[in-house]
Amino acid sequence: MDAFSLQLEFDRRLQHLYSQSEIRFLYQQISGHFTRESEIRNALLRLEQSEPYQYIIGESTFYGKDFVVTPSVLIPRPETEELVELALQRIALEKDFKEHLTIVDIGTGSGVIPIILKIHQPHAVVWGIDVSPEAIEIAKSNAQRHLQKIEFVCMDYLRSSFPVQNVDVLISNPPYISEEELQNIERNVLGFEPYNALFAPGPDPLVFYRKLAKDAQSHLRSGGLVLVEINQKLGNETLDLFNKVCTRTELIQDLSGNDRFVVGIK
Ligand SMILES: C[S@@+](CC[C@H](N)C(=O)[O-])C[C@H]1O[C@@H](n2cnc3c(N)ncnc32)[C@H](O)[C@@H]1O
């Protein structure tokens, strides 16, 4: 079958799921990645099941760079690019920040946050922590791919003591969706992305932020920065937790106008 007919078939079979421009984009991604017709047809079948194209091609772009993703890791989101951008801006603004920063990312997933921060702060010692051994393996392969040395640790953050002292920057995009919000989550997210990357365990959707605030109290150096991505519905509650440990805090909206980040200086 020629490329034009294959593209028409994409249009016909995906039009109930996606807009025309989305189908064009998906076709470009799939045909740019696979060459054989059988592979493209198999990808089309997976798209029909609502599987995210990033898992089909095994890659996702974040902050202008390509990263390996598998169903063991969350597909990095544009809001998290904004979090990284905020971190880089705030690091540049802090006059007492030396080159040799210690940066810790909690819930590192595919490793996108520590890898981009390390690329922009090459003298920093950067840590990435995750409970999932599969995620840590993906994060390590991404660090290798981008030639960055990151200290990855596989541990359950909620049940462990904090592994690094005197931290300059504590950053995290932890699981923050509550079980009550389950019915609002789209099929392609719920059916394919790791549950424990999306949902906070148990009844308290702020469980990670409580621990992050406590660890900021004990392990972030005075003048250090904490930056977290948050549940848009819990902006003020999350801010309150960091108000208790920081001298200055801000609740910041994402580009869609939702409360999405809390930034604090201790
Ligand atoms: C929302 S995802 C963020 C992934 C990545 N940082 C990103 O922004 O694309 C949350 C991550 O936290 C990890 N996680 C969940 N529970 C954890 C725990 N108890 N300790 C450490 N990491 C945990 C998940 O495996 C997942 O990779």
Side-chain angles (χ1 to χ4, degrees), residues 7 10 14 21-36 39-40 43-44 47 51-62 65-67 69 75:
Q7 196 166 357
F10 259 66
L14 296 179
S21 59
E22 285 170 331
I23 296 173
R24 216 170 308 129
F25 173 79
L26 289 170
Y27 183 76
Q28 272 170 7
Q29 293 295 319
I30 299 296
S31 60
H33 198 80
F34 298 112
T35 46
R36 284 200 230 118
E39 292 171 326
I40 297 178
L44 179 53
L47 288 171
E51 184 167 350
Y53 79 88
Q54 294 95 331
Y55 289 151
I56 299 174
I57 65 173
E59 273 192 1
S60 183
T61 303
F62 184 88
K65 305 226 175 279
D66 290 334
F67 290 86
V69 290
I75 296 165

Side-chain angles (χ1 to χ4, degrees), residues 62 72-77 80 105-113 129-132 135 155-159 173-176 196-198 208 229:
F62 184 88
S72 301
V73 294
L74 190 90
I75 296 165
R77 304 293 203 269
T80 311
D105 173 39
I106 304 296
T108 207
S110 58
V112 288
I113 296 176
I129 290 166
D130 206 287
V131 71
S132 156
M155 68 176 214
D156 182 347
Y157 174 66
L158 294 177
R159 290 166 198 272
N173 172 24
Y176 58 65
N196 77 342
L198 296 164
F208 278 92
E229 189 173 323

Side-chain angles (χ1 to χ4, degrees), residues 40-171:
I40 297 178
R41 284 189 170 283
N42 181 43
L44 179 53
L45 271 176
R46 292 169 68 178
L47 288 171
E48 279 184 303
Q49 304 302 312
S50 301
E51 184 167 350
Y53 79 88
Q54 294 95 331
Y55 289 151
I56 299 174
I57 65 173
E59 273 192 1
S60 183
T61 303
F62 184 88
Y63 216 83
K65 305 226 175 279
D66 290 334
F67 290 86
V68 173
V69 290
T70 72
S72 301
V73 294
L74 190 90
I75 296 165
R77 304 293 203 269
E79 291 85 348
T80 311
E81 294 181 309
E82 291 183 54
L83 176 72
V84 168
E85 179 65 22
L86 259 176
L88 292 172
Q89 283 172 2
R90 297 303 165 100
I91 290 169
L93 278 177
E94 290 306 312
K95 284 185 228 52
D96 66 333
F97 271 16
K98 298 177 289 307
E99 277 192 332
H100 297 271
L101 297 173
T102 299
I103 302 176
V104 181
D105 173 39
I106 304 296
T108 207
S110 58
V112 288
I113 296 176
I115 293 168
I116 296 293
L117 292 180
K118 177 76 179 170
I119 289 171
H120 289 265
Q121 287 289 326
H123 300 292
V125 176
V126 185
W127 295 71
I129 290 166
D130 206 287
V131 71
S132 156
E134 295 85 8
I136 290 291
E137 284 315 303
I138 302 290
K140 282 182 179 168
S141 72
N142 279 321
Q144 249 174 18
R145 181 180 201 170
H146 293 292
L147 307 175
Q148 300 303 318
K149 186 177 173 298
I150 312 282
E151 312 301 323
F152 286 113
V153 180
C154 187
M155 68 176 214
D156 182 347
Y157 174 66
L158 294 177
R159 290 166 198 272
S160 314
S161 51
F162 200 79
V164 191
Q165 301 299 323
N166 225 14
V167 173
D168 296 286
V169 180
L170 177 59
I171 188 165

